[in-house]
Amino acid sequence: MRIVFSILLAIPVVVGLFFVMHSLIDRDFKNPEVKNQKIADLVQPDEEIQLETTAKKPEKVEDPEEPPPEMDMAQIDLNMDTNVDNIAPTASIDVTISTSGMSSGDGEYLPIVKVAPIYPRRAQTRGITGYCIVEYTVTTSGAIRNPVPVDCQPSGVFESASVKAAEKFKYKPRVVDGEAIEVAGVQNKFTYELEN
């Protein structure tokens, strides 16, 4: 019963809404105060577009009659300072090399790259200073093999930083009779001091 009553009530509401919408659409909303405004027409002027199909090519550069003069080979000074300072804010590190394991020959091994170790943070914050001697072998290619800490004071503080720095060293290998040979027993002392 409620459904039938709802349908009978909905029909006149729907019909009434249709009439209201139709009257709104047909109604003339012209306002005499608002003047018609004409929108400007946008017209693009006719222009001829000229395409340049022939491009000028640059003139060919002729080969020089004489070849350029040969350059002199640069002379490299391999005498390097073995003292390296650390970049840490309050620490300096002195890197020196001992002469053990060196002998005369066609050409001695020479240090090319020496990397300063990073001052251990624990030692730096506690104000610990000391040194560490690392022993290694310089290979025929100038690389480092088997770096081992042999004497470090205080023990257990600077060994790791010293070995990591020594692994990055590069040398000019020792040459005997025109052939590069390995040099064992090379030692390097890292001194760890705090700046005042």
Side-chain angles (χ1 to χ4, degrees):
M1 185 74 167
R2 287 183 180 178
I3 296 175
V4 174
F5 179 72
S6 298
I7 291 174
L8 291 175
L9 184 62
I11 290 174
V13 171
V14 171
V15 171
L17 286 175
F18 276 119
F19 280 118
V20 170
M21 288 190 328
H22 182 65
S23 68
L24 288 174
I25 292 171
D26 275 350
R27 189 170 172 196
D28 190 10
F29 285 103
K30 288 184 180 178
N31 188 350
E33 296 176 5
V34 177
K35 296 180 180 178
N36 290 337
Q37 295 179 349
K38 183 176 180 183
I39 299 175
D41 293 333
L42 298 175
V43 179
Q44 185 172 355
D46 294 334
E47 292 182 10
E48 289 185 23
I49 299 174
Q50 296 178 353
L51 296 176
E52 194 171 319
T53 57
T54 58
K56 294 180 181 178
K57 295 182 180 178
E59 295 180 10
K60 183 179 178 183
V61 179
E62 295 182 13
D63 293 332
E65 294 177 7
E66 296 180 9
E70 293 184 15
M71 300 295 288
D72 292 337
M73 294 297 289
Q75 298 294 325
I76 300 173
D77 184 17
L78 294 177
N79 294 330
M80 298 178 63
D81 185 14
T82 57
N83 293 327
V84 180
D85 291 329
N86 189 14
I87 303 175
T90 59
S92 69
I93 296 175
D94 180 30
V95 180
T96 56
I97 186 165
S98 70
T99 57
S100 63
M102 299 176 77
S103 64
S104 62
D106 290 347
E108 280 301 328
Y109 67 94
L110 293 171
I112 296 173
V113 176
K114 287 247 180 173
V115 178
I118 298 172
Y119 208 107
R121 183 167 297 281
R122 187 182 74 182
Q124 189 175 4
T125 55
R126 295 180 182 179
I128 300 173
T129 60
Y131 68 90
C132 187
I133 299 174
V134 178
E135 185 174 289
Y136 47 83
T137 301
V138 177
T139 65
T140 57
S141 65
I144 302 303
R145 189 177 65 225
N146 301 331
V148 178
V150 292
D151 182 20
C152 297
Q153 294 297 325
S155 180
V157 178
F158 301 113
E159 285 88 343
S160 177
S162 300
V163 168
K164 285 180 183 177
E167 287 173 343
K168 298 175 184 175
F169 285 4
K170 296 291 179 199
Y171 283 82
K172 176 184 175 244
R174 176 184 286 171
V175 178
V176 176
D177 295 329
E179 191 172 326
I181 61 169
E182 289 189 351
V183 180
V186 178
Q187 292 186 347
N188 196 86
K189 181 178 181 180
F190 297 94
T191 303
Y192 294 84
E193 294 177 345
L194 291 171
E195 296 177 352
N196 292 338

PDB file of all heavy atoms in Angstrom, residues 84 86 92-96 117 119 129-133 158 162 188-194:
ATOM      1  N   VAL A  84     103.750  12.717   5.113  1.00  0.00           N
ATOM      2  CA  VAL A  84     102.375  12.986   4.701  1.00  0.00           C
ATOM      3  C   VAL A  84     101.584  13.377   5.932  1.00  0.00           C
ATOM      4  O   VAL A  84     101.646  12.709   6.960  1.00  0.00           O
ATOM      5  CB  VAL A  84     101.743  11.736   4.039  1.00  0.00           C
ATOM      6  CG1 VAL A  84     100.330  12.042   3.618  1.00  0.00           C
ATOM      7  CG2 VAL A  84     102.577  11.299   2.854  1.00  0.00           C
ATOM      8  N   ASN A  86      97.937  14.046   7.876  1.00  0.00           N
ATOM      9  CA  ASN A  86      96.538  13.616   7.836  1.00  0.00           C
ATOM     10  C   ASN A  86      95.648  14.843   7.706  1.00  0.00           C
ATOM     11  O   ASN A  86      95.972  15.918   8.184  1.00  0.00           O
ATOM     12  CB  ASN A  86      96.203  12.837   9.118  1.00  0.00           C
ATOM     13  CG  ASN A  86      94.851  12.187   9.054  1.00  0.00           C
ATOM     14  OD1 ASN A  86      94.264  12.096   7.985  1.00  0.00           O
ATOM     15  ND2 ASN A  86      94.372  11.739  10.181  1.00  0.00           N
ATOM     16  N   SER A  92      97.726  14.833  13.231  1.00  0.00           N
ATOM     17  CA  SER A  92      98.721  14.832  12.162  1.00  0.00           C
ATOM     18  C   SER A  92      99.429  13.496  12.193  1.00  0.00           C
ATOM     19  O   SER A  92      99.630  12.910  13.244  1.00  0.00           O
ATOM     20  CB  SER A  92      99.711  15.979  12.348  1.00  0.00           C
ATOM     21  OG  SER A  92     100.502  15.726  13.482  1.00  0.00           O
ATOM     22  N   ILE A  93      99.807  13.010  11.001  1.00  0.00           N
ATOM     23  CA  ILE A  93     100.433  11.697  10.900  1.00  0.00           C
ATOM     24  C   ILE A  93     101.709  11.850  10.103  1.00  0.00           C
ATOM     25  O   ILE A  93     101.718  12.403   9.011  1.00  0.00           O
ATOM     26  CB  ILE A  93      99.481  10.706  10.224  1.00  0.00           C
ATOM     27  CG1 ILE A  93      98.257  10.534  11.101  1.00  0.00           C
ATOM     28  CG2 ILE A  93     100.158   9.373   9.998  1.00  0.00           C
ATOM     29  CD1 ILE A  93      97.201   9.708  10.518  1.00  0.00           C
ATOM     30  N   ASP A  94     102.794  11.362  10.651  1.00  0.00           N
ATOM     31  CA  ASP A  94     104.076  11.420   9.988  1.00  0.00           C
ATOM     32  C   ASP A  94     104.349  10.052   9.376  1.00  0.00           C
ATOM     33  O   ASP A  94     104.367   9.049  10.081  1.00  0.00           O
ATOM     34  CB  ASP A  94     105.160  11.783  11.015  1.00  0.00           C
ATOM     35  CG  ASP A  94     106.527  11.871  10.375  1.00  0.00           C
ATOM     36  OD1 ASP A  94     106.588  12.211   9.188  1.00  0.00           O
ATOM     37  OD2 ASP A  94     107.525  11.593  11.069  1.00  0.00           O
ATOM     38  N   VAL A  95     104.533   9.997   8.063  1.00  0.00           N
ATOM     39  CA  VAL A  95     104.783   8.740   7.377  1.00  0.00           C
ATOM     40  C   VAL A  95     106.236   8.733   6.948  1.00  0.00           C
ATOM     41  O   VAL A  95     106.663   9.573   6.164  1.00  0.00           O
ATOM     42  CB  VAL A  95     103.860   8.602   6.138  1.00  0.00           C
ATOM     43  CG1 VAL A  95     104.121   7.293   5.432  1.00  0.00           C
ATOM     44  CG2 VAL A  95     102.417   8.701   6.541  1.00  0.00           C
ATOM     45  N   THR A  96     107.015   7.770   7.481  1.00  0.00           N
ATOM     46  CA  THR A  96     108.412   7.658   7.090  1.00  0.00           C
ATOM     47  C   THR A  96     108.682   6.237   6.652  1.00  0.00           C
ATOM     48  O   THR A  96     107.977   5.307   7.041  1.00  0.00           O
ATOM     49  CB  THR A  96     109.342   8.016   8.274  1.00  0.00           C
ATOM     50  OG1 THR A  96     109.022   7.168   9.378  1.00  0.00           O
ATOM     51  CG2 THR A  96     109.172   9.461   8.683  1.00  0.00           C
ATOM     52  N   PRO A 117      97.059   7.489   6.780  1.00  0.00           N
ATOM     53  CA  PRO A 117      95.961   6.740   7.406  1.00  0.00           C
ATOM     54  C   PRO A 117      94.967   7.672   8.076  1.00  0.00           C
ATOM     55  O   PRO A 117      95.274   8.814   8.380  1.00  0.00           O
ATOM     56  CB  PRO A 117      96.680   5.870   8.439  1.00  0.00           C
ATOM     57  CG  PRO A 117      97.918   6.627   8.771  1.00  0.00           C
ATOM     58  CD  PRO A 117      98.323   7.349   7.515  1.00  0.00           C
ATOM     59  N   TYR A 119      93.062   8.767  11.232  1.00  0.00           N
ATOM     60  CA  TYR A 119      93.269   8.670  12.674  1.00  0.00           C
ATOM     61  C   TYR A 119      92.048   7.988  13.282  1.00  0.00           C
ATOM     62  O   TYR A 119      90.932   8.452  13.086  1.00  0.00           O
ATOM     63  CB  TYR A 119      93.433  10.069  13.266  1.00  0.00           C
ATOM     64  CG  TYR A 119      94.269  10.119  14.530  1.00  0.00           C
ATOM     65  CD1 TYR A 119      95.541  10.650  14.497  1.00  0.00           C
ATOM     66  CD2 TYR A 119      93.784   9.646  15.739  1.00  0.00           C
ATOM     67  CE1 TYR A 119      96.316  10.723  15.642  1.00  0.00           C
ATOM     68  CE2 TYR A 119      94.548   9.703  16.887  1.00  0.00           C
ATOM     69  CZ  TYR A 119      95.819  10.238  16.837  1.00  0.00           C
ATOM     70  OH  TYR A 119      96.573  10.289  17.972  1.00  0.00           O
ATOM     71  N   THR A 129      98.012   8.821  21.501  1.00  0.00           N
ATOM     72  CA  THR A 129      99.007   8.978  20.444  1.00  0.00           C
ATOM     73  C   THR A 129      99.882   7.733  20.418  1.00  0.00           C
ATOM     74  O   THR A 129      99.886   6.947  21.367  1.00  0.00           O
ATOM     75  CB  THR A 129      99.878  10.223  20.690  1.00  0.00           C
ATOM     76  OG1 THR A 129     100.550  10.075  21.940  1.00  0.00           O
ATOM     77  CG2 THR A 129      99.037  11.491  20.705  1.00  0.00           C
ATOM     78  N   GLY A 130     100.623   7.573  19.332  1.00  0.00           N
ATOM     79  CA  GLY A 130     101.506   6.413  19.245  1.00  0.00           C
ATOM     80  C   GLY A 130     102.057   6.253  17.846  1.00  0.00           C
ATOM     81  O   GLY A 130     102.087   7.194  17.054  1.00  0.00           O
ATOM     82  N   TYR A 131     102.465   5.022  17.525  1.00  0.00           N
ATOM     83  CA  TYR A 131     103.005   4.735  16.204  1.00  0.00           C
ATOM     84  C   TYR A 131     102.689   3.299  15.841  1.00  0.00           C
ATOM     85  O   TYR A 131     102.298   2.486  16.686  1.00  0.00           O
ATOM     86  CB  TYR A 131     104.528   4.975  16.170  1.00  0.00           C
ATOM     87  CG  TYR A 131     105.316   3.987  16.992  1.00  0.00           C
ATOM     88  CD1 TYR A 131     105.790   2.800  16.433  1.00  0.00           C
ATOM     89  CD2 TYR A 131     105.580   4.230  18.340  1.00  0.00           C
ATOM     90  CE1 TYR A 131     106.504   1.885  17.202  1.00  0.00           C
ATOM     91  CE2 TYR A 131     106.293   3.336  19.101  1.00  0.00           C
ATOM     92  CZ  TYR A 131     106.759   2.155  18.529  1.00  0.00           C
ATOM     93  OH  TYR A 131     107.453   1.256  19.285  1.00  0.00           O
ATOM     94  N   CYS A 132     102.888   2.985  14.545  1.00  0.00           N
ATOM     95  CA  CYS A 132     102.702   1.608  14.083  1.00  0.00           C
ATOM     96  C   CYS A 132     103.630   1.376  12.896  1.00  0.00           C
ATOM     97  O   CYS A 132     103.625   2.144  11.943  1.00  0.00           O
ATOM     98  CB  CYS A 132     101.248   1.354  13.680  1.00  0.00           C
ATOM     99  SG  CYS A 132     100.924  -0.383  13.300  1.00  0.00           S
ATOM    100  N   ILE A 133     104.443   0.321  12.982  1.00  0.00           N
ATOM    101  CA  ILE A 133     105.332  -0.057  11.887  1.00  0.00           C
ATOM    102  C   ILE A 133     104.680  -1.214  11.141  1.00  0.00           C
ATOM    103  O   ILE A 133     104.322  -2.236  11.740  1.00  0.00           O
ATOM    104  CB  ILE A 133     106.727  -0.461  12.399  1.00  0.00           C
ATOM    105  CG1 ILE A 133     107.377   0.730  13.118  1.00  0.00           C
ATOM    106  CG2 ILE A 133     107.601  -0.954  11.262  1.00  0.00           C
ATOM    107  CD1 ILE A 133     108.687   0.413  13.799  1.00  0.00           C
ATOM    108  N   PHE A 158      96.207   1.285  16.544  1.00  0.00           N
ATOM    109  CA  PHE A 158      96.517   1.857  15.231  1.00  0.00           C
ATOM    110  C   PHE A 158      96.779   0.820  14.138  1.00  0.00           C
ATOM    111  O   PHE A 158      97.077   1.198  13.005  1.00  0.00           O
ATOM    112  CB  PHE A 158      97.737   2.780  15.352  1.00  0.00           C
ATOM    113  CG  PHE A 158      97.532   3.916  16.316  1.00  0.00           C
ATOM    114  CD1 PHE A 158      98.261   3.980  17.490  1.00  0.00           C
ATOM    115  CD2 PHE A 158      96.614   4.902  16.051  1.00  0.00           C
ATOM    116  CE1 PHE A 158      98.082   5.030  18.381  1.00  0.00           C
ATOM    117  CE2 PHE A 158      96.425   5.949  16.934  1.00  0.00           C
ATOM    118  CZ  PHE A 158      97.157   6.018  18.101  1.00  0.00           C
ATOM    119  N   SER A 162      96.629   1.616   9.963  1.00  0.00           N
ATOM    120  CA  SER A 162      97.939   1.604   9.304  1.00  0.00           C
ATOM    121  C   SER A 162      97.976   0.604   8.157  1.00  0.00           C
ATOM    122  O   SER A 162      98.506   0.897   7.084  1.00  0.00           O
ATOM    123  CB  SER A 162      99.030   1.272  10.321  1.00  0.00           C
ATOM    124  OG  SER A 162      99.047   2.230  11.362  1.00  0.00           O
ATOM    125  N   ASN A 188     107.301   0.528   6.937  1.00  0.00           N
ATOM    126  CA  ASN A 188     106.861   1.925   6.946  1.00  0.00           C
ATOM    127  C   ASN A 188     106.329   2.238   8.337  1.00  0.00           C
ATOM    128  O   ASN A 188     105.532   1.476   8.891  1.00  0.00           O
ATOM    129  CB  ASN A 188     105.766   2.133   5.902  1.00  0.00           C
ATOM    130  CG  ASN A 188     105.552   3.588   5.600  1.00  0.00           C
ATOM    131  OD1 ASN A 188     106.226   4.159   4.760  1.00  0.00           O
ATOM    132  ND2 ASN A 188     104.616   4.208   6.292  1.00  0.00           N
ATOM    133  N   LYS A 189     106.777   3.354   8.901  1.00  0.00           N
ATOM    134  CA  LYS A 189     106.352   3.735  10.241  1.00  0.00           C
ATOM    135  C   LYS A 189     105.322   4.859  10.146  1.00  0.00           C
ATOM    136  O   LYS A 189     105.587   5.894   9.558  1.00  0.00           O
ATOM    137  CB  LYS A 189     107.552   4.190  11.086  1.00  0.00           C
ATOM    138  CG  LYS A 189     107.169   4.575  12.509  1.00  0.00           C
ATOM    139  CD  LYS A 189     108.400   4.959  13.316  1.00  0.00           C
ATOM    140  CE  LYS A 189     108.014   5.324  14.734  1.00  0.00           C
ATOM    141  NZ  LYS A 189     109.173   5.704  15.548  1.00  0.00           N
ATOM    142  N   PHE A 190     104.170   4.640  10.739  1.00  0.00           N
ATOM    143  CA  PHE A 190     103.115   5.656  10.824  1.00  0.00           C
ATOM    144  C   PHE A 190     103.139   6.208  12.245  1.00  0.00           C
ATOM    145  O   PHE A 190     102.999   5.470  13.205  1.00  0.00           O
ATOM    146  CB  PHE A 190     101.730   5.038  10.562  1.00  0.00           C
ATOM    147  CG  PHE A 190     101.590   4.466   9.170  1.00  0.00           C
ATOM    148  CD1 PHE A 190     101.829   3.136   8.925  1.00  0.00           C
ATOM    149  CD2 PHE A 190     101.192   5.275   8.132  1.00  0.00           C
ATOM    150  CE1 PHE A 190     101.683   2.594   7.667  1.00  0.00           C
ATOM    151  CE2 PHE A 190     101.044   4.753   6.847  1.00  0.00           C
ATOM    152  CZ  PHE A 190     101.294   3.417   6.611  1.00  0.00           C
ATOM    153  N   THR A 191     103.330   7.512  12.364  1.00  0.00           N
ATOM    154  CA  THR A 191     103.341   8.165  13.670  1.00  0.00           C
ATOM    155  C   THR A 191     102.037   8.934  13.853  1.00  0.00           C
ATOM    156  O   THR A 191     101.662   9.727  13.011  1.00  0.00           O
ATOM    157  CB  THR A 191     104.534   9.134  13.775  1.00  0.00           C
ATOM    158  OG1 THR A 191     105.730   8.407  13.526  1.00  0.00           O
ATOM    159  CG2 THR A 191     104.595   9.763  15.167  1.00  0.00           C
ATOM    160  N   TYR A 192     101.353   8.667  14.942  1.00  0.00           N
ATOM    161  CA  TYR A 192     100.049   9.298  15.225  1.00  0.00           C
ATOM    162  C   TYR A 192     100.238  10.292  16.372  1.00  0.00           C
ATOM    163  O   TYR A 192     100.557   9.909  17.498  1.00  0.00           O
ATOM    164  CB  TYR A 192      99.025   8.227  15.624  1.00  0.00           C
ATOM    165  CG  TYR A 192      98.691   7.278  14.524  1.00  0.00           C
ATOM    166  CD1 TYR A 192      99.482   6.159  14.266  1.00  0.00           C
ATOM    167  CD2 TYR A 192      97.579   7.481  13.730  1.00  0.00           C
ATOM    168  CE1 TYR A 192      99.175   5.268  13.254  1.00  0.00           C
ATOM    169  CE2 TYR A 192      97.251   6.608  12.712  1.00  0.00           C
ATOM    170  CZ  TYR A 192      98.069   5.507  12.468  1.00  0.00           C
ATOM    171  OH  TYR A 192      97.746   4.628  11.461  1.00  0.00           O
ATOM    172  N   GLU A 193     100.082  11.565  16.062  1.00  0.00           N
ATOM    173  CA  GLU A 193     100.215  12.619  17.070  1.00  0.00           C
ATOM    174  C   GLU A 193      99.027  13.576  16.952  1.00  0.00           C
ATOM    175  O   GLU A 193      98.600  13.882  15.852  1.00  0.00           O
ATOM    176  CB  GLU A 193     101.515  13.394  16.881  1.00  0.00           C
ATOM    177  CG  GLU A 193     102.761  12.559  17.123  1.00  0.00           C
ATOM    178  CD  GLU A 193     104.034  13.339  16.859  1.00  0.00           C
ATOM    179  OE1 GLU A 193     103.942  14.409  16.234  1.00  0.00           O
ATOM    180  OE2 GLU A 193     105.094  12.868  17.255  1.00  0.00           O
ATOM    181  N   LEU A 194      98.540  14.041  18.078  1.00  0.00           N
ATOM    182  CA  LEU A 194      97.441  14.997  18.097  1.00  0.00           C
ATOM    183  C   LEU A 194      98.020  16.402  18.136  1.00  0.00           C
ATOM    184  O   LEU A 194      98.988  16.672  18.841  1.00  0.00           O
ATOM    185  CB  LEU A 194      96.541  14.766  19.313  1.00  0.00           C
ATOM    186  CG  LEU A 194      95.732  13.477  19.289  1.00  0.00           C
ATOM    187  CD1 LEU A 194      95.070  13.260  20.632  1.00  0.00           C
ATOM    188  CD2 LEU A 194      94.690  13.524  18.198  1.00  0.00           C
TER     189      LEU A 194
END
